[in-house]
Amino acid sequence: TFFLSTDNLEYAITNSDIIFEAIPTKYLRSIVQESNKYTSNQPWIVLSKGIENNSLLFASEIVKDIIKFLNVICSLILMII
């Protein structure tokens, strides 16, 4: 197991067993839509916080909205409190 930082989205998604995302919420939807082209069954760890202005969705809800088969592993636990 190793961690790799890259600016190549296709490479990052297709060569990962688990996806960790920490994207500002205002950019999250567009990046996840692009990522959806390369995603298979990897679990996503959602580290973003905040609510999308237009939809009023939390970050984990945005990811689930785009990647339908996805089982989002984690959304900030603080959201539950």
Side-chain angles (χ1 to χ4, degrees):
T1 303
F2 65 94
F3 295 92
L4 177 68
S5 178
T6 179
D7 63 351
N8 183 320
L9 186 60
E10 179 180 5
Y11 178 83
I13 299 293
T14 58
N15 290 289
S16 297
D17 295 325
I18 301 172
I19 310 299
F20 290 85
E21 74 76 27
I23 302 164
T25 305
K26 68 180 184 177
Y27 304 114
L28 184 60
R29 183 173 294 279
S30 63
I31 293 174
V32 174
Q33 285 173 331
E34 182 68 22
S35 301
N36 197 20
K37 298 175 189 176
Y38 315 115
T39 302
S40 58
N41 289 326
Q42 303 103 316
W44 281 58
I45 309 299
V46 178
L47 301 170
S48 296
K49 65 181 179 101
I51 298 173
E52 186 178 44
N53 285 335
N54 295 336
S55 68
L56 301 178
L57 294 176
F58 288 108
S60 60
E61 295 172 315
I62 296 167
V63 175
K64 282 189 214 178
D65 185 48
I66 296 166
I67 304 176
K68 302 296 185 193
F69 65 85
L70 182 64
N71 183 14
V72 174
I73 298 292
C74 177
S75 162
L76 288 176
I77 303 301
L78 297 174
M79 205 169 85
I80 296 172
I81 297 174

